[in-house]
Amino acid sequence: MPLRAELVATCRDMAASGLAVATTGNASVRDGDTVLISPTSLPYEEMTEADVVRIGLNGEVLEGERAPSSEWQVHCAIYRARPDAGAIVHGHSPHAVAWSALGEELDTGTEDLEHYCGGPVRTAPFAPTGTAELADAVLAALGDRNAVLMARHGIVALGRDLRGALHVCAVVEQQAHVAWLLRSTKNVQQ
């Protein structure tokens, strides 16, 4: 499947699985020395391949009629720092967003986090959406892991390809749900 079509399909899968709602979240894929990224503020069910935006690693729009995702700085910072990142999915799923508001690391002690994320998922401190400050905070918290939570915001997940990044995003949401269950069980037992 061509990369543009795969990006549109990934965005629709993200919405269908509850990892994003309305126009929240975004996704991108590395294409050589450039990035194909979802456009800002477009409902996923309306998105077509023509809506995908090509940007340079500095954020310069190279192709496309629409503006790139407001989080392009996060995507570009990760691609510049992590040559192993082939794709990024940023979700706003409920359990992960709720966990990110705690400012805590997501650590359920499961093999899933180790296998898909490289260990517990750190939470980057809050910074305004679409800013270099947020990109810097995300990059610092991400380190060598495949996922990071953005405080009061959501998940950023990396993969070798879009499907892999989507899987990491789904695992983080599922593990955040597990963490809430564990916390509520612990509170009941006390």
Side-chain angles (χ1 to χ4, degrees):
M1 177 183 303
L3 283 179
R4 286 177 183 272
E6 190 176 349
L7 183 62
V8 171
T10 298
C11 288
R12 289 183 180 160
D13 288 349
M14 185 172 50
S17 64
L19 295 172
V21 296
T23 62
T24 64
N26 44 67
S28 70
V29 61
R30 191 189 296 262
D31 188 17
D33 292 334
T34 66
V35 175
L36 295 174
I37 192 166
S38 56
T40 192
S41 303
L42 181 66
Y44 296 122
E45 65 272 9
E46 296 175 18
M47 188 184 303
T48 68
E49 291 178 43
D51 295 314
V52 172
V53 183
R54 182 182 300 276
I55 59 176
L57 290 176
N58 62 355
E60 177 188 2
V61 175
L62 303 174
E63 291 176 19
E65 298 299 316
R66 295 190 174 273
S69 166
S70 61
E71 296 299 0
W72 67 265
Q73 291 186 76
V74 169
H75 291 253
C76 288
I78 292 169
Y79 287 126
R80 288 191 305 264
R82 295 280 302 268
D84 60 316
I88 298 169
V89 170
H90 165 46
H92 285 227
S93 53
H95 296 96
V97 170
W99 193 267
S100 77
L102 299 174
E104 296 177 16
E105 183 175 77
L106 174 62
D107 186 4
T108 57
T110 66
E111 293 176 353
D112 292 353
L113 283 179
E114 188 64 39
H115 177 76
Y116 286 94
C117 303
V121 179
R122 299 177 192 110
T123 299
F126 178 80
T129 297
T131 63
E133 181 186 0
L134 179 59
D136 291 344
V138 166
L139 197 57
L142 178 66
D144 62 351
R145 307 281 167 84
N146 292 329
V148 63
L149 292 170
M150 297 190 293
R152 303 186 344 236
H153 191 144
I155 307 165
V156 175
L158 283 60
R160 288 183 307 163
D161 55 27
L162 284 161
R163 190 60 42 196
L166 188 62
H167 288 165
V168 171
C169 194
V171 165
V172 173
E173 170 58 14
Q174 189 256 355
Q175 289 298 298
H177 190 176
V178 168
W180 281 114
L181 293 171
L182 291 170
R183 182 162 285 187
S184 66
T185 301
K186 182 179 177 184
N187 289 339
V188 168
Q189 291 175 349
Q190 291 181 353

